[in-house]
């Protein structure tokens, strides 16, 4: 079965794969450009993107704005014909400023999660930048679409439906995740249903992309068979030569066992999924202390926050795994080695397209058993 391109207005990705944005520093210009050059959509994470700028500790906002501009320009230089996106947390204190920079630099797509991006259409008004919320329920998809329609007379250009098997911050309660009764396919079906009236009213297609736990080509095929227009994948792109993280971070994925993947609490106010290490053990016994506040989250109060998530993620991307938080998807233990992005993309396409047409529409989406 030939994979269909992912069409987002006038943007056409030959391969319907979006490389998920991974912060801090896991997906910057090098990884995003490599994916875009292969026909997918490469995504830069804007979360504390200037962590390695010399003035980041003293002036994080200026460092992040400067670094974002630099990495968008670099990605576009490395992939002049590719599609480059940006992932930003709605909960971030620099959200508006970073969106403005991205629009100035003519970013192709802005993806926003960790809250509903209620103001995003206004921030990109007058530009060609496409906008996409990340949702974990049909209700969230309906709320944001109605809100954008009423306030801005605009619909989402794309919606990303993220299921419970994703890495990083998750749009579910800890209880929901532990009960393990949420299915990505069910959420997708419900989201497609609530979007249909908007599509009919405006005679406009709103592409929907699945994310969370998608690892093999057969998972891509299953999502498309269930009605999705594409997929977003993150875990597989960590273990690539072009990933912007330290080699020790990448090897943590290769060496992880299934029992090492677990849920953690985050200062963002959402549970997260990470690889068990010395840092997560310290988190459990409350021995982790905050030594520096970057004022990165609207919801964070250093007086009662259990740990600084920015510092933990910065340590991880630099390879200090004793002091770092290693976010990962539920399937990271399946990673067997570090490969080139081009080889990974080719493998995923070959796997998906090798499935015969009669079986294509019947493929289930596998879920991890806890």
């Amino acid at each position: 079965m030939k994979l269909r391109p992912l069409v987002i207005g006038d943007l056409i990705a030959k391969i319907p794969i979006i490389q998920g944005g991974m912060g801090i520093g896991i997906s910057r210009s090098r990884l995003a450009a490599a994916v875009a050059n292969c026909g997918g959509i490469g995504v830069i994470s804007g979360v504390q993107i200037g962590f390695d700028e010399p003035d980041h500790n003293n002036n994080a906002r200026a460092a992040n704005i400067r670094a974002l501009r630099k990495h968008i320009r670099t990605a576009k230089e490395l992939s002049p014909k590719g599609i480059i996106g940006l992932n930003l947390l709605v909960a971030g204190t620099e959200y508006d400023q970073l969106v403005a920079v991205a629009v100035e630099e003519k970013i192709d797509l802005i993806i926003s999660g960790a809250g509903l991006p209620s103001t995003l259409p206004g921030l990109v008004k007058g530009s060609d930048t496409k906008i996409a919320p990340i949702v974990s329920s049909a209700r969230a998809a309906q709320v944001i679409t109605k809100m954008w329609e009423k306030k801005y007379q605009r619909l989402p250009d794309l919606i990303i439906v993220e299921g419970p098997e994703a890495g990083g911050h998750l749009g579910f309660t800890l209880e929901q995740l532990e009960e393990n009764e949420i299915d990505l396919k069910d959420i997708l079906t419900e989201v497609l249903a609530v979007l249909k009236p908007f599509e009919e009213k405006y005679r406009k297609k709103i592409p929907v992309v699945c994310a969370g736990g998608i690892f093999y080509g057969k998972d891509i095929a299953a999502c498309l068979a269930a009605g999705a227009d594409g997929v977003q994948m993150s875990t597989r792109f960590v273990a690539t030569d072009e990933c912007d993280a330290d080699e020790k971070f990448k090897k943590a994925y290769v060496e992880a066992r299934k029992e090492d993947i677990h849920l953690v609490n985050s200062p963002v106010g959402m549970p997260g999924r990470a690889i068990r290490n010395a840092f997560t053990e310290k988190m459990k016994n409350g021995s982790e202390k905050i030594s520096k506040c970057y004022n990165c989250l609207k919801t964070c109060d250093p007086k009662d926050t259990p740990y600084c998530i920015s510092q933990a993620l910065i340590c991880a991307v630099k390879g200090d795994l004793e002091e770092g938080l290693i976010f990962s998807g539920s399937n990271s233990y399946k990673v067997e080695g570090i490969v080139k992005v081009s080889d990974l993309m080719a493998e995923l396409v070959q796997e998906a397209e090798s499935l015969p047409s009669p079986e294509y529409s019947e493929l289930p989406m596998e879920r991890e058993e806890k």
Side-chain angles (χ1 to χ4, degrees):
M1 170 61 70
K2 182 72 174 175
L3 293 182
R4 303 179 296 272
L6 174 57
V7 180
I8 311 170
D10 58 356
L11 298 178
I12 302 175
K14 183 176 64 175
I15 299 174
I17 296 176
I18 298 175
Q19 160 253 310
M22 296 171 282
I24 291 171
I26 310 302
S27 62
R28 295 203 288 183
S29 50
R30 187 164 177 252
L31 176 58
V35 175
N37 281 331
C38 291
I41 298 178
V43 178
I44 296 167
S45 170
V47 180
Q48 295 294 314
I49 190 170
F51 72 92
D52 54 356
E53 293 288 311
D55 57 343
H56 184 259
N57 279 345
N58 299 320
N59 194 348
R61 176 169 295 186
N64 289 331
I65 288 173
R66 184 189 321 116
L68 178 59
R69 197 181 300 279
K70 176 176 69 177
H71 280 285
I72 292 175
R73 291 181 180 181
T74 300
K76 285 180 170 290
E77 288 170 2
L78 293 173
S79 182
K81 296 182 180 180
I83 301 175
I84 303 295
L86 171 68
N87 183 292
L88 290 174
L89 299 182
V90 177
T93 55
E94 300 163 359
Y95 184 77
D96 289 11
Q97 293 90 339
L98 294 179
V99 169
V101 170
V103 170
E104 288 174 12
E105 295 300 326
K106 295 180 169 47
I107 197 76
D108 295 309
L109 171 69
I110 294 177
I111 298 168
S112 282
L116 292 179
S118 56
T119 63
L120 186 55
L123 297 174
V124 303
K125 187 176 181 180
S127 75
D128 293 327
T129 298
K130 306 296 187 293
I131 50 177
I134 299 175
V135 302
S136 295
S137 70
R139 175 170 171 72
Q142 188 172 45
V143 166
I144 195 65
T145 304
K146 276 188 175 181
M147 185 187 300
W148 286 6
E149 177 196 31
K150 181 178 180 180
K151 190 173 180 181
Y152 300 103
Q153 297 77 53
R154 178 166 182 170
L155 300 180
D157 297 299
L158 170 77
I159 286 184
I160 296 176
V161 179
E162 189 170 82
E165 305 296 334
H169 296 113
L170 306 168
F172 305 93
T173 65
L174 193 59
E175 292 75 19
Q176 286 176 314
L177 294 168
E178 289 174 342
E179 289 171 1
N180 193 34
E181 294 179 353
I182 304 165
D183 190 275
L184 176 57
K185 186 175 181 179
D186 293 338
I187 304 172
L188 170 65
T189 301
E190 293 165 2
V191 168
L192 291 172
V194 301
L195 292 180
K196 189 174 181 180
F198 294 99
E199 293 180 318
E200 292 176 346
K201 179 179 178 180
Y202 292 96
R203 297 181 179 180
K204 177 183 177 180
K205 166 72 175 171
I206 304 175
V208 178
V209 163
C210 281
I214 298 160
F215 195 86
Y216 298 114
K218 64 180 180 180
D219 302 323
I220 298 172
C223 290
L224 299 181
D229 298 282
V231 298
Q232 177 176 279
M233 304 176 69
S234 299
T235 293
R236 294 298 299 271
F237 289 104
V238 171
T240 60
D241 291 336
E242 296 90 342
C243 174
D244 295 278
D246 187 271
E247 287 300 303
K248 292 177 184 176
F249 187 98
K250 302 177 190 181
K251 288 179 180 177
Y253 274 54
V254 177
E255 296 169 0
R257 300 165 300 174
K258 186 173 184 178
E259 57 268 29
D260 293 328
I261 316 302
H262 67 140
L263 299 170
V264 298
N265 289 315
S266 167
V268 170
M270 297 175 170
R273 180 172 281 110
I275 296 176
R276 193 184 312 275
N277 66 347
F279 179 81
T280 60
E281 292 304 302
K282 284 196 295 183
M283 284 169 52
K284 286 198 301 185
N285 62 36
S287 62
E288 179 62 22
K289 303 298 180 185
I290 295 178
S291 59
K292 164 72 179 175
C293 178
Y294 293 91
N295 189 33
C296 60
L297 297 171
K298 299 171 186 174
T299 56
C300 181
D301 184 347
K303 294 192 298 293
D304 53 28
T305 296
Y307 64 97
C308 175
I309 191 163
S310 282
Q311 188 58 46
L313 295 174
I314 289 170
C315 285
V317 73
K318 289 182 174 180
D320 182 0
L321 305 189
E322 293 296 308
E323 300 295 331
L325 178 62
I326 312 168
F327 272 153
S328 80
S330 63
N331 289 325
S332 56
Y333 71 94
K334 295 180 180 178
V335 173
E336 296 179 348
I338 299 171
V339 299
K340 293 183 181 299
V341 164
S342 59
D343 291 339
L344 172 60
M345 293 286 280
E347 175 188 319
L348 292 170
V349 171
Q350 190 278 327
E351 287 177 355
E353 294 191 335
S354 68
L355 297 166
S357 300
E359 300 172 19
Y360 186 79
S361 62
E362 300 169 9
L363 286 166
M365 276 188 273
E366 293 185 352
R367 298 177 66 241
E368 285 295 305
E369 296 298 327
K370 300 293 188 291

